Amino acid sequence: MIILVGTIFIFYLGGVLYLCFRWAAAWRLLRQEAARPTLDAEGADWPTMEVVIPVKDEEAHLATCVRSVLSQDYPNLSVIVVNDRSTDRTPEVIAELQAEFPRLRRMDITELPGGLYGKPHALSRAGTELSAEIVVFVDSDFELAPHCLKTLVHDLRRRRLDWLAVMGKPQLQKFWERLLVPMLGAITYAWYDPRKIEDPKWDNAIGSGFLVVRREAYQAIGGHGAVVRAYDEDSEIMRIAKRAGHAISYVLAPELFTLRMYGTLRRTVHGISRTFVGGLKTLPRFLATINAINFVSLLPIGILFLLGIAAWKGWAIPWESAWLTLAVLHLIASTGLAYVIYGGAGDYRRFAFIHPLAAAMLIGICIRAARELSRREPIQWRGTSY
């Protein structure tokens, strides 16, 4: 019995030490200023650029996004809005924007062939009309800072990249968004470390709703035509580019643009479930994720609870003081990690003290997503069943 308890204790100690290591890694990642794009080339000869904005039922956010793009301090810029079967006032909003900005171009997608996904299909159609040296794909719920595109193109050229995926600052307006989205980001970066994406020895990659790419590189892999059957097309196109030998990178640049998230609890749960399905892909990864979330946030509370029950019942537990000390240190370390994560997403550090609630909810969402994956249930997104 002593040997079994000792073995479990040693493994638990190792897990807590690894958690501390991850805490330090998260701290370094969120403060890795050198990886963020900088602008110091105001007099540069800027290449021509086309910005492609895919939209479906985005009447509430589209005008803000388009105006932020057309207000850039970047010369030689044109914008294409791809209207993918919208059923709200999106077409009317586009028409109003075209009256205000004559250089704004529009493409309408009226049908989706069977077996294809809406957004990559729409972008593949737009890809056939691209002619600029640099192409930027921007989701319609983003709002760009005035110097955003210059900064990213400067970074692309300075580092001799072909592709650059960028993550900005999420706008978390509701309680559940602020509780769950930062933890979702931590899970994503635990599986896909942004610092390894540039390494050709590491085969994987992630993308984002903001991609900057050289047109020649984009067309060399077939553009979005290569990912029209991919659920996570932003990441899949980056993986294909990396395997083709292109130079790619992923950067965190919260100062360059903001992105709207889900809003209500229902939309937040649905959006996170969709992200889990597209990002984890396999049941073993789901199982590993569930176990990791449980270990980081819930296990120390469970151990402290069991120690309390044992003390109340008068049960003798080997190394009780050591277990108590380690569980308390574990809880401190996990709360410290959550403090860094929530602080990195914005001024939400107070949510670190209820991170076990976020962990329990994310485990539930993860189980739900794994069930959908195993049963091959259709995924509903923006009025389309996939």
Side-chain angles (χ1 to χ4, degrees):
M1 181 65 179
I2 297 295
I3 295 176
L4 177 60
V5 172
T7 302
I8 295 174
F9 182 84
I10 290 172
F11 275 104
Y12 182 41
L13 175 61
V16 174
L17 292 174
Y18 180 72
L19 172 61
C20 293
F21 168 78
R22 294 301 304 175
W23 181 92
W27 180 274
R28 290 194 302 270
L29 173 62
L30 293 174
R31 282 154 179 78
Q32 192 176 9
E33 299 291 341
R36 294 182 180 176
T38 58
L39 177 61
D40 59 5
E42 289 293 343
D45 180 19
W46 300 103
T48 57
M49 173 188 290
E50 288 171 305
V51 180
V52 184
I53 307 174
V55 297
K56 187 179 192 304
D57 298 336
E58 285 286 354
E59 61 176 334
H61 313 305
L62 176 58
T64 298
C65 176
V66 171
R67 286 195 173 95
S68 74
V69 173
L70 289 169
S71 299
Q72 292 291 299
D73 57 4
Y74 192 96
N76 304 319
L77 169 69
S78 63
V79 181
I80 306 173
V81 174
V82 187
N83 174 38
D84 180 22
R85 301 167 293 128
S86 293
T87 57
D88 63 357
R89 289 194 67 258
T90 293
E92 288 82 354
V93 173
I94 298 174
E96 294 168 1
L97 289 167
Q98 284 184 296
E100 183 178 352
F101 302 101
R103 57 187 171 133
L104 177 63
R105 296 156 59 193
R106 168 178 176 173
M107 173 182 287
D108 290 302
I109 307 298
T110 58
E111 60 181 16
L112 177 65
L116 306 186
Y117 286 91
K119 179 183 172 183
H121 169 256
L123 291 177
S124 70
R125 292 280 301 277
T128 61
E129 299 190 6
L130 300 176
S131 59
E133 298 171 77
I134 301 293
V135 181
V136 181
F137 299 98
V138 179
D139 281 356
S140 54
D141 46 5
F142 291 7
E143 183 176 1
L144 281 57
H147 61 290
C148 175
L149 295 179
K150 266 190 176 181
T151 303
L152 293 175
V153 170
H154 169 62
D155 195 59
L156 186 87
R157 300 172 80 185
R158 177 179 63 86
R159 299 165 60 196
R160 298 183 180 180
L161 297 171
D162 297 305
W163 298 74
L164 182 62
V166 194
M167 175 53 66
K169 182 179 181 179
Q171 290 184 349
L172 307 178
Q173 300 174 336
K174 303 291 186 179
F175 172 84
W176 298 110
E177 287 182 306
R178 295 174 179 178
L179 179 67
L180 297 175
V181 171
M183 293 285 280
L184 173 66
I187 293 169
T188 301
Y189 294 143
W191 279 110
Y192 303 96
D193 188 336
R195 295 165 298 181
K196 296 171 64 177
I197 289 174
E198 296 180 35
D199 186 355
K201 297 178 182 178
W202 191 60
D203 188 48
N204 221 326
I206 54 171
S208 73
F210 198 123
L211 293 177
V212 183
V213 57
R214 300 182 189 275
R215 180 177 56 84
E216 291 182 356
Y218 177 73
Q219 293 178 338
I221 63 169
H224 278 85
V227 293
V228 290
R229 290 180 172 82
Y231 181 65
D232 59 334
E233 80 289 334
D234 295 337
S235 295
E236 185 60 25
I237 200 168
M238 291 286 280
R239 296 185 191 110
I240 293 173
K242 187 173 186 178
R243 291 163 190 162
H246 296 183
I248 72 170
S249 183
Y250 182 102
V251 295
L252 306 176
E255 67 279 4
L256 292 184
F257 66 92
T258 60
L259 58 149
R260 295 178 183 271
M261 296 305 292
Y262 309 111
T264 64
L265 174 60
R266 181 177 180 181
R267 287 175 59 86
T268 300
V269 170
H270 183 63
I272 292 176
S273 179
R274 175 177 176 265
T275 300
F276 277 148
V277 172
L280 297 180
K281 297 182 181 298
T282 66
L283 292 180
R285 282 196 165 200
F286 274 100
L287 183 60
T289 300
I290 291 169
N291 285 328
I293 297 171
N294 175 65
F295 177 84
V296 170
S297 295
L298 300 181
L299 183 58
I301 295 176
I303 292 175
L304 291 172
F305 177 77
L306 291 176
L307 289 174
I309 293 294
W312 178 49
K313 293 290 188 179
W315 298 336
I317 297 179
W319 305 345
E320 182 176 355
S321 297
W323 280 109
L324 177 61
T325 300
L326 191 55
V328 170
L329 291 176
H330 185 170
L331 185 59
I332 293 172
S334 64
T335 303
L337 177 61
Y339 191 83
V340 172
I341 291 168
Y342 283 105
D347 188 21
Y348 311 122
R349 291 181 176 86
R350 62 190 181 278
F351 285 88
F353 300 102
I354 56 171
H355 72 92
L357 173 60
M361 293 183 67
L362 286 171
I363 287 175
I365 297 171
C366 203
I367 292 172
R368 167 185 167 174
R371 184 175 65 247
E372 292 176 354
L373 181 69
S374 63
R375 295 178 179 177
R376 298 184 180 275
E377 296 178 2
I379 298 169
Q380 302 293 329
W381 189 251
R382 296 190 183 275
T384 304
S385 180
Y386 296 107

